[in-house]
Structures are given as structure tokens and as C-alpha cells.
Amino acid sequence: MATVSSESQSDQLKVVTDATCTFCGCVCDDIDLTVDGHTITKAKRACVLGTAWFLNHDVDDRPSCMIKGKPATVEEGIEHASQVLANSRYPLIYGLSDTTSESQRVAVSIADWIGGIVDTTTSVCHGPSGMAFQGVGEVTCSLGEVRNRGDLIMFWGSNPAESHPRHFTKYSLMPKGMFVPNGRKDRTCVVVDVRKTKSANAADIFIPIKPRRDFEGLWTLRALAKGIELDPAQTLEDTGVELSVWQDLMDRMKAAKFGVIFFGMGLTMTRGKHANSEALLALTRDMNDHTRFVCKPNRGHGNVTGAYNVVAWRTGYPFGVNLARGYPRFNPGEYTASDVLARGEADAAMIIASDPMANFNEPARQHLASIPYIAFDPKETPTTRHAEVAFTVATYGINVPGTVYRMDDVPIPLRPAFESPHPSDLQILEGIEKRVKELKAIGLAGQASSLRPNAV
Amino acid sequence: MSETFILIPGRTSKQGVGINEGKYGETYLGEITKLQVAPGDMERLGITEGDWVRLTGEHGTIDVEVISAKKDELPEGLLFIAYGDLSSRLMGGDTHGSGMPTSKGFDVELETIPTPSKS
Ligand code: SF4
């Protein structure tokens, strides 16, 4: 149960217990924050990334709104942003992984009212896995089950020691669980990667796979699971790993009581992409002929899992959704942000809590720089610097309450530490939603929201 | 003279810390502009820490400072850079119908260049 208490030495000092860290997909909700006015001075139990997250989100000394680089009121910003969006023919709404699910929900509504595309950073994270889920399905579980049952823990193309530092200690390797009472001693950890990462150093077995050969490695295991004989020379040539190593791994997988494969962007960002994820999901499914086996993408941003869930429960599809015709259409590669921008299609955009001007490919960045767009971020980024309307917003989890989804789809409430003078993105998005509905005359008698004059 | 390598952009904890401190801060900019090279490759190519190299991929070119990868971390023939502005400049626009540009494990040509003067 969260509490806020004052420490005796100072009126200003308070402690927020069980605060939630939203920097990575682990969404640790056991952090005790010491708060001095508008500064967090201590974040007990947070890892190096979580500590940097909490200790570096003071209130940014910038105007809450800038229009074309000049300070403006938030109301002026909402009006300008609404005009840009309502008057565009093919608007893109993108980002959404570092904000609350409440804000994600409103952003999807705006995309619907303006007949735009809504895409999230899922598309450049585990979007290919999302495609694979639709093709194969996902045998999965919560992190609590991993903690209490997992005795063979595999990481494939994922380096949680650097990207999710408390993954091992809180969920997957170290905890003493109901059926693994001796914790780490009861678990075997296997890392498959092209580099000997920090995570590989924590593993019992490291399998250095040939770069761009994850698909071949996964199908080797699928064949071995079925008892199919393979040619050792061909296997070595295809995967860079001896067949005996794969056979030893398969023996361990079959002998496990509860096997888990966490997989990362080593699969989704590399040649093969969704085909790599599909192979891993299919292997997990195959293993259930022998024992209990599950898999989970190690999702990165704090609420990328929320973005995936919210867009799915609002439109029926998880990312890259086109609402221009008044009903949702899903086609990765066509309606995903990187493609829509790189092909020069969108004529306006709204970027929420994401930095495509730093992280997208060059053609996409060039096109984004050439169109009017609105950006929301607590901090200054290359994306906010180039925006037509830039909002400095309060930080979710630190200043703003709401809900985020942990990487295993478990929704978790936020417990903010102090108030920000900047508005939340939810407040601004609600203002924009109200105004674009007026501009589109939605809600007036006889106006059906699904009949859009700007259908593409 | 240039040589072909496979480039792996990825996350590092320093890069994550840098994102929180600010994308115009020293930690972030320092981390995303350094290229890790395997010690064996550095020896063979005659480069040392602090030297600069040019990476040219199918879609772009970047200039980066070299640091040595930790022993055994990178096999020879592989390069590593923290994911960020520079690594993204080497990505193409095509996502092969997936929404995801190929962002890891692509070929680059590496050539040594003179250390740029600090202005
Ligand atoms: S593991 Fe992730 S969620 Fe947990 S404290 Fe570290 S950064 Fe925050």
C-alpha cells in the first residue's frame, strides 16, 4: 500500500513509498522516493537506470508551450495544434510508449476523429513480434509465474543486464520462488546472442550464434524437438554453433519443469524480423509437447506494452492502424510510422513522448522536418526542437498519476512524487480532442463520424 | 583501404542514463558517438582507442571515434555502437513490410580517417 509521509528534519522532505518506475518494461513498483520540493533526492531499490530516471526529472525550466520556437500559452498551442491536425489530409499520430494508458486512449480517439494513422513505438520495437503473435499465437505467463516456477530461463537476442537491470533480481533469475526455493541455484540460465553481453556473463551457458542466423538456430531447435536428425556440418555452417551444443540445449529444455524464453530486439531488428519471432513462438509451442514452456518479449519502454494493449482494445489492431476510412485498417509496412514518413505520405503529425528526429532513418526524418508537427515531451529533444508546436509536459509516474502496463501485460498504477507546473499530456490531448471535434463539426446533428471527407 | 564488418547497434546502461540526463548532455552524446571494435580487429587494422573511422552502409555514412570492446565481448568482424542518432543514420527507409527498418546486423565498410580537429 503506497503512503506519503513527511520526514521530521524538513517540512519540504517527504517519502513516497512503493512508487512506480516507468523507465523500462520491468515497471518496478517498489521504489521508495525521498522528495525535496521539486527534486527527488533518493530512489531506494531503483537500478542505475531507474535512479537516473527519478533523479533527473526535476521541472524543466522551459515554457509549457512553444509555437514555431516562440513561447505561447497552452491554450494557443491547443488551438494551433488542432488547426494543423483538423486541416491535414493524412495525419500521423505516433509515439505513446512513455505516457499513461489514459493518454494513449485519448490519442487513439483523436486519430479516429481526424481520420489519421495511429502508430506507436511498438512498430520499431516488438512490432514484428506483434505480427508473429497473430500468425502463431503466444504461449505465455506473467512475470510472477516466472519468478515462482521458472527453472530454465533463456534470453535470446536480449540483454536485460543493460536494458532491464532488475529483471534478473526481481523476476527471472535470483528470486526464491514457490517451486524454486533455492532461487538462482534452482535455475539454469542460457543466453543466445551474437555478442558476449553483460547478460551472457551472468548465464550458465552462453551460445554465441552467427550474426543474422537466429532463424536458422531456432529452426535447428524445432527440428531437434521433433527428433529429426540433422547434419552436424550443415548446422555449424548455418548457425555458427556445433550441433552437439544445440542438442545439449534441447535436452535441457525437454528436462525443464517450467522453461521460459525472453526474447529481444536481436530478433526483431535483424534480417528476418517477424519470421524470427514466429520461429521462436513456434518453438515455444512445440516444447509444450514435452513440458511446460512459455515465452515473453522483453519490451523496452515503460508503457510500450500499454500502447500495444490500448491501441488493440480501441481499434482491434495493436499498432500501425489507419482510420482514414472511418474504420480501422492494419498493415505493417504500409501504415507504420517509419514507412508513412520515409515515403513522404503524412502531411502533418503529432508525436507524443518519442524522438523520431533522433531515432528514425534519414528519409523519415527529412520528411518529418518538412511537415507541421506537434511534439510532447518533458525534456528537450531533437523532435521537440523542430516541432511547429512543442509542449513541455509533466512526467508520467513522477508528476502524473495513471496506469501503465508491465511487459507481461499487467496494469500497474502510478504514484506521483510531486506536482509539476507543466500540464500533463492528458490535459492537452483532451483539449485537442475537444477542439478537433468542433472543427470537424463532429457531434452536430446529422454528422456521422464515420463519413470522413478526407478519406484516403 | 576499407574492410566489411557487421554493425550491431544496441542499448547500453550508460546510454539509458544519458537519455534521462538529457539528449544534449555529455553522457548521452559521448556514448552514442563511440564505436566498439574487437581488440583483435584493432590490432590487425593498426588502430588504437581515440582514432576515428568512417562507416559507410547502404544508406549512409557516419564518422565515429573508436574504443576497444571489452575482452571477449565482441567477436572479430563485429562492431557495436550504442543505439542513437548516429546508428540510425545508417538505417534505410524500407521495412520489408514489417514497419521495422533493419536496425541491427547490417554490413558496413570501415575505413580509418584522420582525427577531426576540435573547433
Ligand atoms: S529495472 Fe527498469 S523499471 Fe525497474 S528500476 Fe530499473 S529502470 Fe526502473
Side-chain angles (χ1 to χ4, degrees):
Chain A
M1 175 85 191
T3 55
V4 177
S5 62
S6 288
E7 283 188 354
S8 55
Q9 59 265 48
S10 161
D11 286 349
Q12 285 261 295
L13 219 56
K14 66 174 180 179
V15 175
V16 180
T17 56
D18 293 335
T20 305
C21 177
T22 53
F23 185 71
C24 87
C26 282
V27 190
C28 299
D29 57 351
D30 59 350
I31 313 291
D32 291 349
L33 300 176
T34 306
V35 188
D36 186 358
H38 279 175
T39 304
I40 296 170
T41 55
K42 235 190 276 168
K44 197 171 157 195
R45 286 187 283 275
C47 69
V48 60
L49 297 179
T51 303
W53 165 256
F54 283 117
L55 270 52
N56 286 288
H57 277 90
D58 306 346
V59 174
D60 244 38
D61 187 19
R62 284 188 298 135
S64 294
C65 178
M66 307 265 274
I67 300 178
K68 295 182 180 162
K70 296 209 175 68
T73 65
V74 172
E75 291 69 32
E76 287 166 342
I78 290 175
E79 178 61 27
H80 195 95
S82 305
Q83 293 284 354
V84 166
L85 293 172
N87 292 319
S88 62
R89 287 184 52 79
Y90 203 49
L92 165 72
I93 296 181
Y94 175 72
L96 294 167
S97 298
D98 273 321
T99 186
T100 60
S101 289
E102 288 77 359
S103 296
Q104 291 162 348
R105 184 172 187 273
V106 178
V108 179
S109 295
I110 296 171
D112 194 13
W113 299 128
I114 61 177
I117 286 176
V118 60
D119 188 28
T120 76
T121 63
T122 290
S123 64
V124 291
C125 176
H126 272 288
S129 305
M131 294 164 71
F133 294 150
Q134 293 177 356
V136 179
E138 183 191 18
V139 190
T140 192
C141 70
S142 73
L143 291 172
E145 284 174 271
V146 175
R147 182 186 165 101
N148 281 303
R149 295 171 189 275
D151 61 345
L152 177 68
I153 312 288
M154 294 170 60
F155 295 93
W156 198 305
S158 176
N159 181 16
E162 300 223 45
S163 59
H164 303 71
R166 293 185 77 204
H167 199 291
F168 291 163
T169 49
K170 201 161 183 296
Y171 304 114
S172 55
L173 280 190
M174 310 311 286
K176 292 181 174 159
M178 201 181 294
F179 300 100
V180 275
N182 301 308
R184 181 68 180 88
K185 283 194 205 121
D186 286 343
R187 307 182 202 256
T188 303
C189 175
V190 182
V191 168
V192 184
D193 209 309
V194 296
R195 298 187 296 140
K196 195 165 184 223
T197 59
K198 280 194 184 151
S199 301
N201 290 331
D204 301 299
I205 299 167
F206 168 54
I207 300 182
I209 194 165
K210 212 175 188 178
R212 304 187 285 226
R213 295 304 176 97
D214 301 280
F215 182 85
E216 288 81 351
L218 288 159
W219 273 82
T220 299
L221 286 172
R222 288 198 73 192
L224 295 176
K226 298 267 183 223
I228 295 167
E229 266 188 41
L230 296 174
D231 174 17
Q234 187 68 47
T235 304
L236 182 61
E237 165 65 23
D238 288 345
T239 66
V241 178
E242 297 281 355
L243 179 58
S244 58
V245 175
W246 291 121
Q247 186 61 61
D248 173 64
L249 175 58
M250 179 46 61
D251 294 344
R252 290 173 190 270
M253 289 170 76
K254 284 182 177 172
K257 290 201 178 80
F258 192 98
V260 188
I261 316 179
F262 290 101
F263 59 107
M265 291 188 289
L267 289 188
T268 61
M269 283 186 166
T270 308
R271 190 189 69 133
K273 297 166 190 169
H274 52 286
N276 296 336
S277 296
E278 268 172 21
L280 189 138
L281 298 178
L283 169 66
T284 310
R285 192 188 53 196
D286 295 350
M287 289 312 299
N288 282 276
D289 287 344
H290 306 280
T291 182
R292 177 77 175 132
F293 232 93
V294 298
C295 62
K296 281 243 71 74
N298 258 348
R299 290 179 198 262
H301 289 284
N303 199 20
V304 66
T305 309
Y308 189 95
N309 275 276
V310 172
V311 176
W313 53 252
R314 298 234 54 209
T315 72
Y317 302 110
F319 61 94
V321 183
N322 183 329
L323 294 151
R325 288 199 181 151
Y327 57 86
R329 288 178 294 162
F330 171 64
N331 196 9
E334 187 177 7
Y335 305 139
T336 27
S338 173
D339 304 86
V340 170
L341 290 173
R343 284 196 302 261
E345 291 171 355
D347 63 347
M350 181 158 73
I351 312 293
I352 300 147
S354 163
D355 191 13
M357 286 302 279
N359 298 330
F360 269 17
N361 55 73
E362 200 58 22
R365 288 192 224 193
Q366 276 172 15
H367 184 67
L368 184 59
S370 75
I371 59 173
Y373 72 86
I374 301 113
F376 297 66
D377 208 293
K379 287 191 178 276
E380 189 175 29
T381 68
T383 300
T384 63
R385 272 198 184 174
H386 290 91
E388 171 120 348
V389 185
F391 291 107
T392 307
V393 293
T395 306
Y396 81 134
I398 292 180
N399 316 123
V400 182
T403 311
V404 301
Y405 284 64
R406 204 169 61 187
M407 64 160 77
D408 56 348
D409 302 295
V410 173
I412 294 191
L414 301 178
R415 300 176 181 107
F418 60 88
E419 275 191 24
S420 168
H422 297 301
S424 68
D425 52 14
L426 179 63
Q427 288 167 316
I428 299 168
L429 288 167
E430 284 176 341
I432 292 175
E433 184 188 8
K434 185 165 173 271
R435 186 64 184 127
V436 293
K437 282 173 77 177
E438 286 166 8
L439 292 169
K440 291 277 185 186
I442 291 163
L444 297 182
Q447 177 78 33
S449 65
S450 61
L451 295 175
R452 303 254 163 64
N454 65 344
V456 180
Chain B
M1 209 196 78
S2 67
E3 195 172 310
T4 306
F5 284 82
I6 295 177
L7 179 67
I8 312 284
R11 300 216 175 279
T12 68
S13 40
K14 211 166 171 193
Q15 169 229 30
V17 168
I19 287 175
N20 289 312
E21 289 175 7
K23 284 199 166 170
Y24 294 100
E26 263 175 42
T27 310
Y28 182 72
L29 292 175
E31 184 70 356
I32 64 162
T33 52
K34 303 252 178 8
L35 180 76
Q36 290 183 25
V37 183
D41 284 330
M42 286 177 69
E43 205 181 315
R44 191 169 42 77
L45 295 167
I47 46 180
T48 53
E49 285 214 354
D51 286 352
W52 281 66
V53 294
R54 177 162 296 160
L55 299 183
T56 305
E58 202 185 331
H59 305 287
T61 297
I62 59 171
D63 294 345
V64 278
E65 189 183 334
V66 168
I67 54 168
S68 174
K70 290 201 186 75
K71 194 173 160 282
D72 294 346
E73 197 167 302
L74 261 189
E76 290 179 19
L78 243 61
L79 305 170
F80 178 84
I81 188 168
Y83 188 57
D85 175 52
L86 283 186
S87 71
S88 302
R89 288 185 190 278
L90 296 172
M91 294 175 346
D94 190 359
T95 70
H96 310 103
S98 72
M100 168 76 86
T102 301
S103 320
K104 278 182 191 282
F106 46 84
D107 287 346
V108 288
E109 295 289 319
L110 179 147
E111 57 183 312
T112 50
I113 56 168
T115 301
S117 57
K118 287 199 176 109
S119 51

